[in-house]
Amino acid sequence: MQQHFSLAECDVVGFDLDHTLCRYHLPQSARLIYDSFAQYLVTEKGYDEDLLTLSPDNLDFCCKGLVLDIEEGNFLKLAEDGTVLRASHGTKSMTFEEILEIYGRKEWKHFNTVSGMVSRTAKYYLYDNYFDLPGALLCARVVDSLDQHDGQKKYDFWKDMVAAIQHNYKISAFKEDCGMYFPEVKNHPDKYLQRCPESVKKWLKQLKNAGKILLLITSSHSDYCKLLCEHVLGNDFEEYFDILITNALKPGFFSHTPNQRPFRTLENDEEQEALLSLDKPGWYSQGNATQLYDLLKKMTGKLDPKVVYFGDSMHSDIFPARHYSNWETVFILEELLGDNSTVPTKADSEPLEKKGKYEGDQLKVPYFVSKQWGSFFMDRLPGLENAEETLVHTWSCKCISTYSTIAIPTLEAIADLPLDYRFTRFSSNNSPTAGYYPSPPRALLPNEDSVMMK
């Protein structure tokens, strides 16, 4: 494996849409997603109305990489070897002693399937993107509520949570103005969506002018995709891409065979009959990476065209594109933006209100670094029987260096670089911080442990 990666060497450049090409105003979108799920649970399923009230500091609970142990009502932060670093029961943090008693100092029982990226089962749920995260807070508060009223030991709320997600995000919801989420984004796009910087638009054109084939592959349906793209890129957004694929149903897009997930054409945002093969560029729905790659071979005239894919979800974008398709992968990790500015040190205990972190009830700074959960990248593991504590990488951090070519905070971070810029890639030959651009997270640098956890 080469030590360096360059876009100039790629024939095809693919992008996810949500939280990759289209960035959201995270505090506002988090609140909307939370409210849309909570409203459904309260009005349709009879949950406690207290779930509808939320204070801004509640969002501190949201942290990528958490796993919900559904039956126990516990949230877990895992080390790279699968041991539990931190946990909460509902929203309440568990002590080290409680963690030891329930989970021991050994690999969590479902770690094998989680680390195989099987992230959705009846036993657990992995939170790895900003669309999911507010749901973690809601589930934690549901556990609190059930404990308070019913004193439950095993929990049965998950089916209702799935119903809330399906109600808000189902394929027809945008068209039908169903649920709370789509109607609100339609009516107030500026409140939730960030416009694409001019530097990124220029960069997309530069890639195309250099002869690259540009792909958009999103699990969003075509009608929502149009709203997002028109708002963030402009009405001419289709000119940026050679192939647009919506309702891609990732990660299945990468893992499923052509007969399991054929491509379909679209008419007025309605899916048409299945296609036996993909013969030309255009706009398609569903599909699979195998037939897409066959088309890319034709378009490039190469037997083995090199593809790079940019995305923000380890489970839906990065892992499957690397594992099933052997594409290069660029992980968009907005946590890198908050890394330098929002981790308070131990001495930094002044109340948040005095620092202007909150403005009205809006968070000024997105919740990249959770005080409750600590660093996304590393954490302290207390020593047993008076042994010293050790610093360990989180499982989320291990996934980044295992499955990403490089990790960047936003597309804007690289848009002004020449296309032949040589990035140092993640690899077993390089240091674990090598693939982060423009700089590694502070938590991974030596002598930063006093800053990174609290």
Side-chain angles (χ1 to χ4, degrees):
M1 176 71 79
Q2 301 161 283
Q3 277 224 316
H4 294 95
F5 161 75
S6 166
L7 286 169
E9 293 162 5
C10 298
D11 305 294
V12 182
V13 186
F15 298 94
D16 173 44
L17 179 57
D18 296 281
H19 303 287
T20 299
L21 266 173
C22 171
R23 289 179 63 206
Y24 286 72
H25 295 298
L26 290 178
Q28 290 84 342
S29 68
R31 180 68 204 244
L32 171 61
I33 292 165
Y34 177 92
D35 288 345
S36 63
F37 295 160
Q39 191 75 41
Y40 180 87
L41 289 186
V42 172
T43 56
E44 301 295 322
K45 299 292 181 181
Y47 281 75
D48 193 321
E49 285 189 7
D50 286 351
L51 294 174
L52 297 174
T53 59
L54 192 68
S55 67
D57 54 337
N58 290 144
L59 288 171
D60 179 71
F61 184 84
C62 298
C63 176
K64 275 192 203 164
L66 297 183
V67 182
L68 167 58
D69 185 337
I70 292 170
E71 293 171 315
E72 304 293 337
N74 294 341
F75 286 82
L76 313 177
K77 179 184 182 183
L78 299 172
E80 61 181 323
D81 66 357
T83 52
V84 177
L85 286 168
R86 297 192 191 199
S88 73
H89 179 68
T91 61
K92 183 176 176 290
S93 291
M94 290 161 64
T95 64
F96 176 57
E97 290 71 29
E98 287 170 331
I99 293 170
L100 268 183
E101 187 182 330
I102 296 173
Y103 295 106
R105 181 62 72 80
K106 60 181 189 293
E107 185 182 283
W108 180 52
K109 62 184 176 183
H110 298 303
F111 184 64
N112 207 21
T113 47
V114 167
S115 56
M117 290 293 162
V118 182
S119 79
R120 289 157 173 79
T121 76
K123 304 287 185 190
Y124 65 82
Y125 190 87
L126 170 62
Y127 289 91
D128 95 321
N129 66 75
Y130 287 124
F131 273 148
D132 275 351
L133 272 186
L137 171 60
L138 180 58
C139 287
R141 295 187 74 201
V142 165
V143 170
D144 292 347
S145 173
L146 292 173
D147 284 350
Q148 192 181 342
H149 299 300
D150 308 335
Q152 276 177 272
K153 287 289 169 274
K154 296 288 176 189
Y155 297 89
D156 191 30
F157 62 84
W158 186 245
K159 62 185 186 311
D160 297 331
M161 192 66 199
V162 170
I165 294 167
Q166 288 172 342
H167 177 70
N168 276 285
Y169 290 155
K170 68 181 179 182
I171 199 164
S172 59
F174 185 93
K175 194 174 196 173
E176 295 167 3
D177 268 342
C178 161
M180 182 188 280
Y181 182 80
F182 289 127
E184 177 66 15
V185 177
K186 268 196 230 181
N187 291 330
H188 307 284
D190 271 321
K191 181 175 176 183
Y192 300 104
L193 309 175
Q194 299 189 37
R195 304 222 178 234
C196 192
E198 286 304 315
S199 61
V200 174
K201 291 185 187 177
K202 192 173 146 193
W203 176 70
L204 293 172
K205 288 176 180 161
Q206 191 186 355
L207 286 165
K208 211 149 185 220
N209 292 339
K212 312 296 178 195
I213 292 169
L214 265 62
L215 313 173
L216 182 67
I217 308 174
T218 173
S219 292
S220 288
H221 191 40
S222 54
D223 45 17
Y224 187 54
C225 172
K226 278 179 195 159
L227 171 83
L228 297 184
C229 287
E230 283 174 3
H231 193 79
V232 302
L233 288 170
N235 293 335
D236 62 346
F237 72 89
E238 288 185 63
E239 292 174 18
Y240 289 96
F241 306 103
D242 298 283
I243 301 169
L244 296 99
I245 300 165
T246 49
N247 197 27
L249 304 168
K250 297 175 290 182
F253 180 85
F254 296 101
S255 60
H256 287 171
T257 59
N259 60 344
Q260 289 176 302
R261 189 67 64 72
F263 280 97
R264 296 176 183 275
T265 53
L266 284 161
E267 272 178 37
N268 299 322
D269 296 313
E270 296 288 336
E271 292 182 348
Q272 305 301 304
E273 73 289 340
L275 301 172
L276 293 175
S277 63
L278 203 57
D279 299 322
K280 59 181 190 290
W283 190 317
Y284 299 96
S285 193
Q286 297 198 42
N288 60 87
T290 306
Q291 288 180 322
L292 171 62
Y293 198 64
D294 289 340
L295 175 60
L296 296 175
K297 288 178 191 175
K298 276 193 219 165
M299 290 174 71
T300 58
K302 294 185 177 183
L303 280 174
D304 193 16
K306 187 169 181 176
V307 185
V308 59
Y309 188 63
F310 290 75
D312 72 297
S313 167
M314 183 55 66
H315 168 259
S316 300
D317 301 319
I318 302 303
F319 169 78
R322 167 62 57 86
H323 182 74
Y324 297 106
S325 298
N326 203 29
W327 291 359
E328 301 278 12
T329 52
V330 179
F331 191 31
I332 305 286
L333 187 64
E334 290 201 35
E335 278 70 12
L336 291 171
L337 287 177
D339 182 68
N340 289 326
S341 56
T342 59
V343 191
T345 62
K346 282 177 180 161
D348 190 7
S349 56
E350 194 180 335
L352 286 168
E353 290 76 15
K354 287 192 185 171
K355 297 184 176 173
K357 177 158 178 167
Y358 301 130
E359 194 171 55
D361 83 338
Q362 293 301 347
L363 283 155
K364 265 191 182 170
V365 186
Y367 49 92
F368 296 123
V369 183
S370 159
K371 291 199 299 306
Q372 181 163 352
W373 293 103
S375 167
F376 177 77
F377 304 96
M378 291 198 83
D379 215 331
R380 294 193 180 97
L381 194 60
L384 295 175
E385 296 173 7
N386 302 324
E388 282 200 12
E389 63 182 20
T390 51
L391 284 174
V392 295
H393 289 99
T394 61
W395 174 66
S396 300
C397 184
K398 178 75 162 59
C399 289
I400 295 169
S401 56
T402 306
Y403 302 116
S404 317
T405 304
I406 59 171
I408 60 176
T410 62
L411 294 177
E412 200 176 358
I414 64 168
D416 290 325
L417 297 173
L419 295 187
D420 59 1
Y421 183 88
R422 286 157 61 79
F423 296 93
T424 307
R425 60 165 70 238
F426 288 114
S427 78
S428 51
N429 308 331
N430 291 331
S431 85
T433 59
Y436 291 101
Y437 182 89
S439 58
R442 284 176 73 187
L444 296 181
L445 298 175
N447 305 320
E448 289 288 350
D449 57 315
S450 62
V451 179
M452 83 196 156
M453 295 328 155
K454 284 290 180 195

